[in-house]
């Protein structure tokens, strides 16, 4: 009798421990739609990379090689004439330092101001918060061409024309406007329980900002820092307008000015584009993991 019951129990319990069958398209399998998306992504990546490969090919050609074989052929030999010509003509280390100096200060200052503004708007809940955010968004949508005329007379009157601090001030305001709009939305959804617990423990608002809000939002702030640096580095119109002397110009401005003055050949133009692109590419590769962690931090939390 006992053996019969145990046998029946095993028969009943057996289906309960049976592992479910793996569905098709699970973690180890890809559907045709997944393969199609992958193929499209690869094709888009190749299209995006084509201009870079064109610059890379023509940067190491001699003018005679370019004229004989065209832009799509491989170089018959490595020629560094274009790189050396551009390096010497524009004093590239000086332009590199100018761009790095401006971009670094703008990125750090814009992130700091954005965090302070967003803390007041998103967590402090100041009066008229919605209208302030809307005004900041509208100001950020203004085209740069609208700002040139009034900013020119303003910097001319205060003695900052042809000064790098003029460009720094303009871009800190522009970038922090975007950062404030983004962070205000993020801080608006900040858990109130954490803030209330910190207040009960006697923490001031300044202490809450730096000991609670800042560590949790560090990933988002690092993403803004990287974007602000790259955006400022690639800016052209405002530095071209306010930095007229050769000693204060940035890398993009020096490339454009030299092309207009010297009527450079295509190989030197490609070399200048390559030298102007490499610093931002290296910066992005160095902070790539920081950027990835910052983007995915919100999903985990």
């Amino acid at each position: 009798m006992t053996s019969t019951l145990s046998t029946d129990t095993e028969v009943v319990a057996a289906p309960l421990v049976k592992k479910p069958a793996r569905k098709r398209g699970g973690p180890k399998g890809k559907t045709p739609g997944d393969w199609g998306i992958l193929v499209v992504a690869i094709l888009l990546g190749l299209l995006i990379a084509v201009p870079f490969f064109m610059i890379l090919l023509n940067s190491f050609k001699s003018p005679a090689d370019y004229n004989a074989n065209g832009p799509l052929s491989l170089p018959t030999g490595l020629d560094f004439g274009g790189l050396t010509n551009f390096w010497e003509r524009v004093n590239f280390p000086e332009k590199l330092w100018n761009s790095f100096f401006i971009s670094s200060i703008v990125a750090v200052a814009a992130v700091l101001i954005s965090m302070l503004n967003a803390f007041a708007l998103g967590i402090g809940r100041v009066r008229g918060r919605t209208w302030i955010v809307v005004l900041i968004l509208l100001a950020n949508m203004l085209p740069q061409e609208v700002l040139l005329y009034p900013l020119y007379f303003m910097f001319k009157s205060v003695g900052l024309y042809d000064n790098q601090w003029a460009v720094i001030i303009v871009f800190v305001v522009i970038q922090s406007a975007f950062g404030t709009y983004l962070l205000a939305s993020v801080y608006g959804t900040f858990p109130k329980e954490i803030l209330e617990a910190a207040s009960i423990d006697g923490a001031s608002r300044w202490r809450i900002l730096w000991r609670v809000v800042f560590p949790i939002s560090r990933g988002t702030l690092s993403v803004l820092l990287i974007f602000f640096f790259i955006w400022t580095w690639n800016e052209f119109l405002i530095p071209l307008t306010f930095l007229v002397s050769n000693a204060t110009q940035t890398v993009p401005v020096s490339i454009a000015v030299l092309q207009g003055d010297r009527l450079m050949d295509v190989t030197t133009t490609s070399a200048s584009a390559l030298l102007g692109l490499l610093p931002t590419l290296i910066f992005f590769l160095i902070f790539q993991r920081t950027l990835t962690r910052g983007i995915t931090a919100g999903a985990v939390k």
Side-chain angles (χ1 to χ4, degrees):
M1 185 69 176
T2 305
S3 60
T4 305
L5 290 175
S6 61
T7 304
D8 294 340
T9 304
E10 291 177 359
V11 173
V12 174
L16 297 179
V17 298
K18 185 178 180 180
K19 295 183 179 180
R22 184 182 297 275
K23 295 182 180 179
R24 295 185 62 184
K28 293 186 178 180
K30 291 186 179 296
T31 63
D34 296 334
W35 287 110
I37 295 174
L38 180 61
V39 171
V40 172
I42 293 174
L43 292 177
L44 289 176
L46 292 176
L47 289 176
I48 295 173
V50 165
F52 176 76
F53 286 118
M54 293 281 292
I55 292 172
L56 191 62
L57 285 177
N58 296 314
S59 297
F60 299 98
K61 290 181 182 178
S62 63
D65 187 7
Y66 179 85
N67 294 330
N69 300 318
L72 298 178
S73 63
L74 294 174
T76 56
L78 293 180
D79 186 275
F80 298 93
L83 293 172
T84 56
N85 288 337
F86 175 72
W87 187 283
E88 295 173 356
R89 288 180 183 179
V90 303
N91 191 6
F92 185 73
E94 180 184 61
K95 306 304 182 292
L96 188 66
W97 165 251
N98 292 340
S99 292
F100 180 79
F101 175 74
I102 293 174
S103 301
S104 300
I105 293 181
V106 168
V108 174
V111 168
L112 180 61
I113 294 174
S114 300
M115 184 179 63
L116 295 175
N117 292 341
F119 180 77
L121 295 173
I123 296 179
R125 298 290 180 177
V126 298
R127 291 186 177 181
R129 169 184 175 275
T130 303
W131 290 106
I132 294 175
V133 173
V134 170
L135 287 176
I136 292 175
L137 178 61
L138 292 177
N140 195 51
M141 294 172 63
L142 288 175
Q144 294 183 1
E145 292 80 3
V146 178
L147 305 174
L148 294 180
Y149 191 75
L151 287 176
Y152 170 80
F153 283 98
M154 183 182 72
F155 290 130
K156 199 80 170 176
S157 61
V158 298
L160 285 179
Y161 185 70
D162 196 20
N163 190 310
Q164 294 176 353
W165 285 102
V167 177
I168 291 174
I169 292 172
V170 172
F171 283 133
V172 166
V173 174
I174 292 175
Q175 309 290 26
S176 61
F178 173 79
T180 299
Y181 171 74
L182 179 65
L183 286 178
S185 303
V186 175
Y187 287 173
T189 60
F190 205 86
K192 296 181 179 180
E193 294 80 6
I194 299 178
L195 302 176
E196 292 174 354
S199 299
I200 293 173
D201 291 339
S204 62
R205 285 190 174 271
W206 185 257
R207 193 177 183 86
I208 291 174
L209 172 62
W210 290 107
R211 294 299 181 89
V212 179
V213 177
F214 174 73
I216 294 178
S217 61
R218 188 178 299 172
T220 305
L221 296 176
S222 63
V223 172
L224 283 179
L225 181 71
I226 295 171
F227 282 152
F228 288 167
F229 183 91
I230 296 177
W231 291 346
T232 306
W233 183 286
N234 293 326
E235 284 291 343
F236 174 74
L237 181 59
I238 289 180
L240 177 67
T241 305
F242 297 111
L243 302 178
V244 294
S245 64
N246 186 53
T248 60
Q249 290 174 351
T250 59
V251 172
V253 175
S254 64
I255 294 174
V257 171
L258 186 61
Q259 289 177 358
D261 289 344
R262 309 294 180 98
L263 297 177
M264 294 188 303
D265 55 81
V266 177
T267 56
T268 308
T269 305
S270 300
S272 65
L274 180 63
L275 288 177
L277 176 66
L278 282 179
T280 53
L281 181 61
I282 294 172
F283 180 84
F284 177 79
L285 292 177
I286 292 174
F287 293 98
Q288 181 182 9
R289 298 186 66 179
T290 303
L291 180 65
T292 306
R293 287 197 300 265
I295 292 175
T296 58
V300 176
K301 293 176 181 178

